[in-house]
Amino acid sequence: ACMNFIRRPDSFDVVVGSNLFGDILTDIGAIITGSMGLAASGNINPDRTFPSTFEPVHGSAPDIAGQNIANPTALMLGAAMMLEYLERNEDAERMRKAIRFVVGEGKVTTPDLGGKASTSEFTDEVIRNL
């Protein structure tokens, strides 16, 4: 699976795995998109009998905590996944559209994507485009 994530990432749609293997595969998936800061994940209970969680795949990144340099895209995309799970599809799409625009435009990007924008500056730019 790891080899095919790298060789043929477009052949995957949904991947189900244990915590260990899921963590390995999501990290690979995040890196091949360009940054760990771009990949969101959801641990979804389809029966809705227990809570579902939505988060960036990279975890808390304690090595850069408090420096205002983290890319918040994955967190925002996780929030969009949550909105979709809550059947707020229009809100989720608005959020994704604003994020795609800001990242695609490339004027306000965080250091992991080659830019100089802080976490706050990037977030403000996404909010302006909502």
Side-chain angles (χ1 to χ4, degrees), residues 12-92:
F12 292 88
D13 184 25
V14 174
V15 177
V16 177
S18 67
N19 189 44
L20 173 63
F21 292 116
D23 192 42
I24 292 167
L25 293 172
T26 56
D27 284 359
I28 291 171
I31 287 299
I32 64 173
T33 65
S35 170
M36 288 290 284
L38 296 176
S41 82
N43 299 303
I44 299 168
N45 179 326
D47 297 329
R48 298 177 181 254
T49 54
F50 297 100
S52 295
T53 60
F54 304 89
E55 62 188 349
V57 299
H58 58 66
S60 62
D63 57 321
I64 59 171
Q67 297 179 43
N68 203 23
I69 60 171
N71 183 340
T73 302
L75 178 65
M76 293 176 183
L77 291 172
M81 289 173 70
M82 181 185 68
L83 287 169
E84 194 169 61
Y85 178 77
L86 296 172
E87 299 177 356
R88 304 274 308 262
N89 296 334
E90 288 180 25
D91 294 330

Side-chain angles (χ1 to χ4, degrees), residues 73-119:
T73 302
L75 178 65
M76 293 176 183
L77 291 172
M81 289 173 70
M82 181 185 68
L83 287 169
E84 194 169 61
Y85 178 77
L86 296 172
E87 299 177 356
R88 304 274 308 262
N89 296 334
E90 288 180 25
D91 294 330
E93 186 50 36
R94 282 183 59 228
M95 191 169 210
R96 286 188 187 104
K97 186 176 179 181
I99 294 164
R100 274 193 306 267
F101 179 80
V102 172
V103 172
E105 187 178 45
K107 291 181 182 175
V108 181
T109 55
T110 50
D112 61 312
L113 297 176
K116 297 187 186 308
S118 68
T119 306

Side-chain angles (χ1 to χ4, degrees), residues 1-11 32:
C2 291
M3 178 185 67
N4 285 326
F5 253 52
I6 294 164
R7 214 173 52 152
R8 294 187 333 225
D10 58 322
S11 67
I32 64 173

